[in-house]
Amino acid sequence: QDKLEESGGGSVHPGGSLRLSCAGPRHWMNIFCLGWFRQGPGNEREQVATIATDGRTTVADSVKGRFTISRDEVKNILYLQMDSLKPEDTAMYHCVTINSPGDWPSGSCPDGRFDVFQYYMTSGRGTQVTVSS
């Protein structure tokens, strides 16, 4: 498994839940900050959540309290649990490996002081999430 491969997307009603999965290469969780970003039709990319190698997580304000990022180091899978979904969550969701800023510890995630997208490295092809009634 050299590439990132997302799964778990689908169509749900508002208020529903989905769990996205992303399979990646061996040891990626011990090396890189990992994250999820999304891009809806006509919308800009939005970073949704990140998880550093030390386990610290961030989530965007738009999904706080509804989405949770996690990882299974045994199965080598990154997850995004999405609850209380809204129509505005409709987008293509991608997992991504994220580089750390210059002198930051390896595996840490760039915060809002940076243009985070310039630190993106490898991303998957994405999985579509559609929320509609």
Side-chain angles (χ1 to χ4, degrees):
Q1 178 78 42
D2 294 327
K3 300 180 180 179
L4 308 185
E5 185 172 352
E6 303 92 341
S7 62
S11 296
V12 297
H13 295 306
S17 296
L18 286 171
R19 188 176 76 162
L20 306 184
S21 300
C22 178
R26 289 184 64 188
H27 306 306
W28 68 320
M29 297 182 175
N30 298 324
I31 299 172
F32 300 113
C33 164
L34 306 177
W36 292 91
F37 72 92
R38 66 186 182 184
Q39 187 161 19
N43 295 335
E44 296 181 352
R45 279 185 302 177
E46 178 185 17
Q47 180 167 286
V48 175
T50 64
I51 184 166
T53 54
D54 65 3
R56 282 183 286 185
T57 63
T58 68
V59 291
D61 288 343
S62 59
V63 303
K64 194 163 292 183
R66 301 188 296 120
F67 290 13
T68 304
I69 187 171
S70 64
R71 64 191 181 198
D72 186 322
E73 296 182 27
V74 174
K75 296 181 179 179
N76 204 40
I77 296 178
L78 178 71
Y79 296 106
L80 185 68
Q81 178 67 41
M82 305 186 296
D83 299 317
S84 302
L85 282 161
K86 303 177 181 180
E88 52 262 44
D89 295 319
T90 296
M92 184 72 79
Y93 285 73
H94 303 261
C95 60
V96 61
T97 56
I98 305 172
N99 204 358
S100 305
D103 56 354
W104 284 31
S106 178
S108 59
C109 302
D111 63 22
R113 293 172 288 177
F114 299 89
D115 174 10
V116 295
F117 301 114
Q118 70 175 318
Y119 293 90
Y120 281 16
M121 295 188 293
T122 305
S123 64
R125 297 180 66 178
T127 184
Q128 178 68 37
V129 172
T130 302
V131 185
S132 67
S133 53

